[in-house]
Amino acid sequence: MNQNKAQDIERSTIRKLTINIVPLMILLYFLAFLDRNNMAYAASALEDNLGLTASAFGFASGIFFIGYFLFEIPSNAGTIKFGPRIWFARILISWGVFATLLGFVRTPMELYICRFMLGVCEAGFFPSVVYYFTVFFPEKYRTKILGLFIIVQPLSNAIGSPISGLILNIEHGWLGFEPWQLLFILEGVPPIIIGLIIPFVIKNSPRDVNYLNIEEKAWLIESTDRNRSGSKITLTDFLKGMKNSKYLLYAILNFGMVCGIYGFGMWLPSIITTISGNDIFHVSLIALIPYGLAACLVYPWSLWATKTKKIAVFAGCSMIIAAIGLTGAVTFFNYSVFVALGFLCIASIGIYTAVPCFLSMPANVATGGAAAAGLAVVNCIGNLGGFVAPYVVGLLKDTTKSTTPGLIFLSLCLFITGMVCIFYCAKQREGVIHS
């Protein structure tokens, strides 16, 4: 086979895989983010109806990640045991049930239970998807594919915020439900429906797909890293991955990055309210600006990182940019809210462009079951930041009557993590892309 033909086969294989896998994973992750973040837009209604304080709201937001933390690794083991087809369906249906039940809560305790169970049920989904990409895509394509996938994080807020705003602006509700109840119900049902369909749509390995021709499938299976990732794996392989110390390092770094992402995401609507007033629809439209800008830049940044191959440096620079953005928002908030919003846009861009570059590194440490275990550890410990950040920000807001200390805390988390990525991770094998 001549080189030109081999390159044509490679290009056509990656194109078909991208078309058949990535859009569906994007849709599923969009629904996940919609259901975990919509509570931010129902904050005022929940405080009025359930009597939540800012710290109680932060606790309710963050307890999702406690459930996620406790069941992340067991859930990811389920992906290995039962295969993505069955396990993705289980995750979608169960998380959809508890996302919907949030519309029926009557007390803070019921809210805490539903948010905790939402985390339990969604646990394992994100690292399972990242692992799924390692099964189908060679290492040199993963940063770009993750860039496409991670667009969902800011895009879910850019699109989800006005959707949530429209639902919450329904004056008298429907069928006896208040607008905040409709928000959880209408956004909780779609995962249940898709979960029933998903086993008939996705495949467990490259050998099972029917949209690749013989040459394309042979190239995919025979490529070096695909040979290892696509081979039969066991729970023993999974347990070996949990013992790899590099995953613990990336888990700690992920904690710092996640503090920035979720603390920023949960409290941005409250900060924007200061600019626009209490009209939730106007708040959601203004929130679309920083998220929309970030969504536009995530994939180009990933392509640039792939071209230079220095993914650790790009991840670190993004986090430092995010820290500068948050610091600028704090500095200028009392002088010009619009300048502060501009800095929040910079923070949003930095936060979300960091994610695909950062996650490429632990995804490239190992393959097969070890990769699945390692990614579960990274995501499991890292997502504790999703509990710590909103709770600490809420606690600081209750104590100081200001969002400034909370934003400074998030800035420090991002800055320290970014510096470690640049000066340590860039020297590791997985800090660069290998063809």
Side-chain angles (χ1 to χ4, degrees):
M1 183 186 299
N2 62 51
Q3 186 175 359
N4 288 337
K5 185 176 181 181
Q7 290 175 345
D8 289 341
I9 291 172
E10 181 176 346
R11 279 193 294 266
S12 65
T13 303
I14 296 301
R15 179 178 56 82
K16 290 180 181 179
L17 289 171
T18 303
I19 291 171
N20 283 275
I21 293 174
V22 177
L24 177 59
M25 295 298 114
I26 284 176
L27 173 62
L28 300 184
Y29 199 37
F30 173 80
L31 294 174
F33 253 74
L34 200 62
D35 284 333
R36 69 168 69 170
N37 286 346
N38 56 13
M39 204 177 104
Y41 297 98
S44 295
L46 289 171
E47 288 171 4
D48 292 340
N49 285 273
L50 304 183
L52 296 179
T53 62
S55 55
F57 173 77
F59 180 78
S61 301
I63 199 172
F64 167 93
F65 294 98
I66 299 298
Y68 206 107
F69 169 78
L70 293 173
F71 287 86
E72 178 90 329
I73 291 174
S75 181
N76 226 40
T79 304
I80 304 301
K81 177 72 174 177
F82 301 103
R85 289 173 64 247
I86 300 301
W87 206 244
F88 281 178
R90 194 283 302 163
I91 291 173
L92 282 161
I93 294 169
S94 60
W95 111 44
V97 168
F98 282 98
T100 304
L101 286 175
L102 281 166
F104 297 89
V105 298
R106 292 291 182 271
T107 66
M109 182 56 67
E110 291 177 1
L111 177 66
Y112 299 154
I113 291 171
C114 282
R115 283 288 294 181
F116 175 80
M117 289 304 301
L118 182 62
V120 168
C121 295
E122 195 197 310
F125 174 70
F126 180 79
S128 292
V129 171
V130 177
Y131 163 70
Y132 194 66
F133 288 152
T134 72
V135 172
F136 283 89
F137 292 96
E139 179 182 342
K140 66 179 181 179
Y141 292 100
R142 290 177 196 160
T143 302
K144 292 190 290 186
I145 295 302
L146 280 169
L148 279 173
F149 180 60
I150 297 301
I151 287 175
V152 176
Q153 290 190 6
L155 198 61
S156 67
N157 288 296
I159 296 175
S161 59
I163 291 174
S164 298
L166 282 171
I167 295 173
L168 289 170
N169 257 18
I170 298 173
E171 289 188 9
H172 303 293
W174 295 336
L175 304 174
F177 292 107
E178 294 293 324
W180 67 271
Q181 295 177 297
L182 289 173
L183 175 69
F184 294 122
I185 294 169
L186 293 178
E187 294 183 356
V189 170
I192 300 173
I193 297 171
I194 296 176
L196 296 171
I197 300 171
I198 204 73
F200 305 99
V201 177
I202 68 171
K203 305 297 181 182
N204 282 338
S205 75
R207 288 180 171 82
D208 300 327
V209 300
N210 53 16
Y211 48 79
L212 298 178
N213 62 36
I214 295 175
E215 290 179 323
E216 291 165 342
K217 189 176 291 189
W219 173 83
L220 186 58
I221 293 173
E222 291 172 7
S223 61
T224 303
D225 57 337
R226 290 281 58 72
N227 234 4
R228 289 177 291 156
S229 292
S231 60
K232 183 176 176 61
I233 54 181
T234 65
L235 288 177
T236 301
D237 299 321
F238 185 88
L239 293 173
K240 286 180 181 177
M242 291 177 60
K243 299 176 182 178
N244 189 325
S245 61
K246 275 198 171 183
Y247 286 123
L248 180 60
L249 167 68
Y250 285 112
I252 294 169
L253 294 177
N254 193 30
F255 176 89
M257 185 175 70
V258 168
C259 276
I261 292 173
Y262 287 106
F264 174 83
M266 292 307 298
W267 290 101
L268 178 64
S270 299
I271 295 169
I272 291 177
T273 299
T274 306
I275 300 173
S276 64
N278 291 319
D279 188 323
I280 190 64
F281 185 59
H282 288 162
V283 171
S284 65
L285 288 179
I286 293 175
L288 191 152
I289 298 171
Y291 288 125
L293 288 172
C296 290
L297 293 175
V298 168
Y299 187 61
W301 187 257
S302 301
L303 289 178
W304 193 11
T306 299
K307 186 176 181 179
T308 63
K309 299 184 178 181
K310 298 178 180 180
I311 53 178
V313 173
F314 273 71
C317 287
S318 290
M319 285 184 243
I320 290 173
I321 289 170
I324 292 170
L326 287 177
T327 303
V330 170
T331 303
F332 287 95
F333 185 76
N334 291 326
Y335 302 99
S336 172
V337 289
F338 294 101
V339 173
L341 179 60
F343 274 103
L344 283 177
C345 290
I346 293 172
S348 179
I349 290 168
I351 285 169
Y352 290 108
T353 55
V355 178
C357 299
F358 176 82
L359 290 178
S360 298
M361 292 188 284
N364 293 338
V365 169
T367 57
L375 289 167
V377 170
V378 170
N379 209 49
C380 171
I381 295 175
N383 269 321
L384 282 177
F387 171 77
V388 171
Y391 183 64
V392 169
V393 172
L395 196 60
L396 290 172
K397 184 179 178 183
D398 278 345
T399 303
T400 65
K401 309 304 179 185
S402 170
T403 56
T404 298
L407 288 175
I408 292 174
F409 164 73
L410 300 181
S411 298
L412 286 173
C413 289
L414 289 166
F415 181 80
I416 293 169
T417 305
M419 294 295 285
V420 174
C421 284
I422 293 172
F423 291 104
Y424 177 79
C425 297
K427 298 177 182 179
Q428 307 305 305
R429 177 198 172 276
E430 60 277 2
V432 296
I433 295 175
H434 300 269
S435 300

